[in-house]
Amino acid sequence: GPLATELLMELGCEVTGYACSADGHFLHEAEPIPAHLTEVAPLVPRARAVVGFVLDPDADRLALIDETGRCLSEELTLALVVRDRLMQQPGPVVINMSTSRVIEDLATQAGCACVRAAVGEANVVAAMRQHQAVIGGEGNGGVIDPRIGWVRDPFIGMALILNLLAKTQQPLSQLVASLPSYAMRKTKRPVDRGQLAEWFAVVRQRCPEADLDDRDGLRLAWPDRWLHLRASNTESIVRIIAEAPTEAEVEALLALVP
């Protein structure tokens, strides 16, 4: 909170802080997702702000609230950053296997490669180094800019998003509306680890036409949609992420899972 406030003021912003004291007391659940930000979101239009920035306690995730008070999917943080960064310097982009394909679309529009790595900051960083990426990150609001450091850093994310707002002279809601639009669902299922191979095999058999990637669980991809299944490292569950152009198509992807 204090670091973000200082940075934004140095960048010339008028800042309204909310729960920015670094005292360990949190006014809502710490994960910066829309469900936890219902009290925070109305403060943005009330302050006549152009954007609301929300950080988690260890400051590696950045969530956004637009000028109307709408909480944006954390997936869109990286998308907006990638759009701005590629306008500055075209080059490879690296994301993890569970990140929205909006970033793939933006990279393609800019004539740049988009590489997917296994989930996890270290995996994304390794791929960024290998491919000399100009920007990368994860869809949970994690931005990695190699000019700053090989870690997720919300502060460079804030600066790049402000840069995009300044360059385009468009409100955040309009910038988001101009991005490719997809529906995404994140869920989980209890699965015994001993049954994983059989379970994944069933899904594979149901999708013989899909592009398959088994570097991190099982990821099945089509030209405009994907399904990713990966076992939790700490629980007997499989995390399931699906993305497609519409909610109905996401439901169809989830129906492929036993």
Side-chain angles (χ1 to χ4, degrees), residues 212-243:
L212 185 150
D213 191 325
D214 59 4
R215 290 176 295 163
D216 186 10
L218 177 65
R219 189 178 191 275
L220 302 167
W222 296 262
D224 64 348
R225 67 200 68 193
W226 55 269
L227 175 68
H228 188 200
L229 317 174
R230 62 185 301 271
S232 167
N233 293 325
T234 57
E235 305 172 75
S236 296
I237 61 169
V238 168
R239 301 191 186 282
I240 305 167
I241 305 97
E243 185 178 46

Side-chain angles (χ1 to χ4, degrees), residues 123-138:
N123 297 318
V124 174
V125 165
M128 289 180 68
R129 289 179 181 275
Q130 177 184 352
H131 295 277
Q132 298 183 316
V134 298
I135 196 73
E138 300 190 284

Side-chain angles (χ1 to χ4, degrees), residues 181-185 242-248 250:
S181 178
Y182 295 95
M184 178 184 277
R185 187 84 58 81
E243 185 178 46
T246 67
E247 289 285 353
V250 167

Side-chain angles (χ1 to χ4, degrees), residues 35-227:
H36 298 161
L37 303 177
T38 54
E39 293 183 9
V40 181
L43 301 179
V44 177
R46 194 177 304 163
R48 298 183 178 180
V50 298
V51 59
F53 292 123
V54 186
L55 288 77
D56 62 342
D58 60 347
D60 62 358
R61 295 173 62 179
L62 175 65
L64 306 175
I65 303 170
D66 73 14
E67 77 284 355
T68 71
R70 181 171 62 115
C71 294
L72 305 179
S73 165
E74 61 270 32
E75 297 284 338
L76 296 179
T77 298
L78 184 59
L80 291 164
V81 165
V82 166
R83 181 176 172 187
D84 183 72
R85 186 72 185 99
L86 295 184
M87 289 169 66
Q88 299 173 15
Q89 181 184 349
V93 178
V94 174
I95 56 177
N96 74 24
M97 292 189 188
S98 292
T99 295
S100 174
R101 65 167 293 120
V102 171
I103 287 91
E104 283 187 57
D105 291 349
L106 292 173
T108 298
Q109 290 171 14
C112 300
C114 183
V115 177
R116 287 193 181 266
V119 172
E121 183 179 58
N123 297 318
V124 174
V125 165
M128 289 180 68
R129 289 179 181 275
Q130 177 184 352
H131 295 277
Q132 298 183 316
V134 298
I135 196 73
E138 300 190 284
N140 59 5
V143 176
I144 304 172
D145 187 328
R147 299 172 300 172
I148 305 301
W150 296 104
V151 293
R152 291 177 294 181
D153 187 310
F155 306 111
I156 185 60
M158 290 190 291
L160 290 174
I161 287 168
L162 288 172
N163 194 53
L164 184 62
L165 289 169
K167 282 192 301 192
T168 62
Q169 291 293 297
Q170 293 179 343
L172 183 57
S173 60
Q174 190 172 332
L175 284 173
V176 169
S178 70
L179 295 173
S181 178
Y182 295 95
M184 178 184 277
R185 187 84 58 81
K186 301 177 183 182
T187 185
K188 57 188 177 183
R189 298 266 183 93
V191 175
D192 186 274
R193 286 187 176 274
Q195 298 177 318
L196 272 179
E198 180 182 347
W199 204 68
F200 285 173
V202 171
V203 179
R204 288 184 182 187
Q205 290 170 3
R206 293 178 177 179
C207 310
E209 76 289 357
D211 290 333
L212 185 150
D213 191 325
D214 59 4
R215 290 176 295 163
D216 186 10
L218 177 65
R219 189 178 191 275
L220 302 167
W222 296 262
D224 64 348
R225 67 200 68 193
W226 55 269
L227 175 68

